[in-house]
Amino acid sequence: MTDSKNRWLSSVLTGLIGVFGVVPLWAGTSTDAALERLKSTTASALRQTPVLRAVLEDLSADEAAVASQRGAGTPSLGYLREGIGSSFDRQPNSQDTFSIDLPFNGPGQGSRARRLTDVAGLRTLALKRVAVLDIVRVVGEEWVRTAALMDRLEVVRTRLYHLDKALILQNKRLELGEVAGTEVMQLELARAAEASKKAGLEAEEESGRHRMAALCGDGCVFPVAGDLVAIQSSLGPRSQARGPVDFETAPGVRGVMSDKSLAEAQADLTAATIWGRPSVGVEWEHIPSLDGVEGWDALGLQLTVPLPFGRSGKRQVEEAEARSRAAAAWAEAEMVEIRARYEGILAEFHGAEARLAALNPVLSRLERTEFSLGEQFRLGAVSYLVYIDGLSRLDGVQLEAVDAREQLLQSRLRLAVLLDDAGMFPLPPRPPEPVQEN
């Protein structure tokens, strides 16, 4: 090789250090900005998704239906005229009667009706929180998944950039007769594979954006590369910070327990009112004057009390009690399910932490290792294929770290939703607890 060619090639190789040297991925990503993007997307979904509106309207309808059972019944007003002849004239037995009938809750019925409406209100609050957290989970999972795709895309795009520059160098070498055409072809094949990966990831990203937009509409704020790292660093470790878990306060358990309480209150009210409610009636009778006989007025009172007899009523009470027992069994099953779900998600969470702990020593040396590879390639200590293989391994470590971070944040999100714990993942604030009256 001539001296001029050596000088030219040396300058090209030196320039490649800027190409293959580390450009810190996602440098400058703001933690506050990443959290704001996530929170804005979640808030938009809670405002706009029709799914949540439908659930909340159903709960309001359920509460209104229960509240309708509190009243004893509708008052009635009656008018009766007796003793009408064929010409609509009054007969000797003519009489006008006005009556008012007013049903009311008897002993024990009113307190049970009030308890039913109070329990229904608590059930609505509990299930509203469950519905809100379910939307938060769906949106959060999609957001984290898209954020991980953005990080993978960044790795692949950087890799593709390196291959493009490497192809420029190898083509120049080919012109100088320093490499064979097969080496250039190998680079072209590697670049084609990376370009295919890039296109596939971009399609997945676009699909994820459409799914998120279906939930949060025009208020979506999509993640950018580096948001996973930013959010992970803002949340910090939690594996050792948690105390014993009180599953009875978990939203899912509170939801099914409120169903159980409502079924019990419904059974109590049914047992007290299935045969009916008492009513009081007031009648005013008017006997008109007829043929010189003076008429008169009379006032009457009537109290109607239902008798607790009848096979139909007993069967309806049995039905209500059976539904109450079924609700209690479902609540017990939900408690078991949530415990199992918690243990499963916690295992995934610890697994993600272990993965990141194993990768962190390598990640911390990534810049130095990649720079060293670049220097060795520049000095001719390693071949280009060895250098690209080393870069591929480093990229593999970065992609593995992206997978681990995604698993970690997905696990934190699911634990946060399961336990309503905003310390595990950002959640909307809880509604104020109702004041219980003694």
Side-chain angles (χ1 to χ4, degrees):
M1 183 183 296
T2 65
D3 290 341
S4 61
K5 288 182 179 178
N6 281 329
R7 286 194 299 271
W8 176 85
L9 186 56
S10 176
S11 63
V12 171
L13 293 176
T14 303
L16 281 174
I17 294 305
V19 174
F20 295 117
V22 168
V23 177
L25 280 178
W26 320 306
T29 301
S30 168
T31 298
D32 292 339
L35 286 172
E36 185 59 32
R37 281 189 284 271
L38 172 61
K39 291 178 180 179
S40 296
T41 300
T42 302
S44 178
L46 293 176
R47 288 193 308 269
Q48 298 191 43
T49 178
V51 176
L52 181 59
R53 291 201 305 270
V55 172
L56 297 184
E57 291 299 337
D58 281 341
L59 290 174
S60 297
D62 291 344
E63 187 175 359
V66 170
S68 67
Q69 303 177 45
R70 179 170 181 173
T74 304
S76 59
L77 175 66
Y79 170 70
L80 173 65
R81 182 176 181 182
E82 299 180 274
I84 301 176
S86 58
S87 300
F88 293 96
D89 55 342
R90 291 185 178 276
Q91 300 297 307
N93 64 338
S94 64
Q95 176 180 322
D96 294 313
T97 303
F98 293 91
S99 63
I100 298 176
D101 186 69
L102 180 65
F104 63 94
N105 286 309
Q109 293 178 336
S111 59
R112 295 182 185 187
R114 286 191 298 273
R115 177 173 176 267
L116 178 63
T117 54
D118 292 343
V119 169
L122 294 175
R123 173 183 179 269
T124 298
L125 290 176
L127 294 184
K128 278 184 178 179
R129 186 61 177 173
V130 172
V132 166
L133 291 178
D134 192 52
I135 296 298
V136 170
R137 178 187 58 79
V138 173
V139 175
E141 286 178 349
E142 202 61 59
W143 197 92
V144 170
R145 188 180 300 114
T146 304
L149 281 171
M150 298 300 297
D151 285 358
R152 294 187 187 100
L153 263 173
E154 192 71 18
V155 174
V156 172
R157 285 168 179 163
T158 303
R159 171 79 166 165
L160 195 57
Y161 177 74
H162 287 171
L163 289 173
D164 285 338
K165 295 297 183 180
L167 272 171
I168 295 173
L169 173 62
Q170 290 297 80
N171 279 313
K172 292 296 183 182
R173 282 177 164 178
L174 181 62
E175 292 175 7
L176 296 172
E178 297 298 323
V179 297
T182 54
E183 294 187 34
V184 176
M185 182 179 294
Q186 288 175 358
L187 282 175
E188 290 174 343
L189 292 174
R191 188 200 179 284
E194 292 300 319
S196 175
K197 291 179 184 177
K198 174 176 171 288
L201 289 172
E202 287 174 342
E204 288 185 48
E205 178 205 351
E206 185 67 19
S207 176
R209 286 173 178 265
H210 285 300
R211 287 193 297 269
M212 286 173 58
L215 289 168
C216 54
D218 55 6
C220 284
V221 184
F222 300 105
V224 300
D227 279 356
L228 283 186
V229 177
I231 292 178
Q232 178 202 349
S233 63
S234 71
L235 296 177
R238 293 285 295 175
S239 57
Q240 303 298 326
R242 288 200 59 85
V245 178
D246 184 7
F247 290 100
E248 292 186 359
T249 62
V253 173
R254 296 182 69 175
V256 294
M257 292 300 291
S258 67
D259 283 335
K260 172 179 174 289
S261 298
L262 182 65
E264 291 174 346
Q266 184 72 66
D268 287 344
L269 183 61
T270 299
T273 62
I274 194 62
W275 286 279
R277 288 178 167 90
S279 65
V280 60
V282 178
E283 288 187 350
W284 175 72
E285 297 179 354
H286 173 67
I287 307 298
S289 301
L290 185 65
D291 297 333
V293 179
E294 184 179 359
W296 70 89
D297 296 323
L299 183 66
L301 295 175
Q302 177 180 342
L303 179 64
T304 302
V305 179
L307 297 177
F309 301 114
R311 179 173 299 179
S312 175
K314 291 180 180 179
R315 293 294 179 266
Q316 292 184 55
V317 171
E318 291 173 1
E319 176 191 358
E321 291 175 346
R323 294 190 184 281
S324 175
R325 292 191 297 270
W330 281 117
E332 183 179 350
E334 183 68 14
M335 178 75 79
V336 173
E337 172 66 21
I338 286 180
R339 286 179 182 273
R341 202 182 313 159
Y342 171 79
E343 295 298 334
I345 299 173
L346 192 63
E348 295 177 3
F349 174 55
H350 289 317
E353 283 191 322
R355 292 175 67 186
L356 284 174
L359 291 169
N360 278 335
V362 179
L363 292 173
S364 64
R365 299 196 305 268
L366 197 62
E367 182 177 355
R368 186 169 65 252
T369 302
E370 194 165 358
F371 179 78
S372 176
L373 273 173
E375 285 293 297
Q376 291 179 59
F377 174 72
R378 183 178 68 86
L379 298 173
V382 297
S383 69
Y384 178 76
L385 290 178
V386 171
Y387 177 63
I388 289 299
D389 181 66
L391 284 180
S392 178
R393 293 175 187 275
L394 292 174
D395 290 347
V397 170
Q398 291 190 77
L399 292 173
E400 180 68 16
V402 172
D403 291 342
R405 291 189 189 102
E406 181 184 8
Q407 179 185 351
L408 180 68
L409 290 182
Q410 295 282 20
S411 300
R412 293 185 72 123
L413 167 62
R414 291 163 188 160
L415 285 174
V417 169
L418 191 70
L419 303 176
D420 202 357
D421 182 2
M424 290 293 291
F425 198 86
L427 297 177
R430 300 181 189 179
E433 294 287 339
V435 179
Q436 296 287 341
E437 296 183 0
N438 296 327

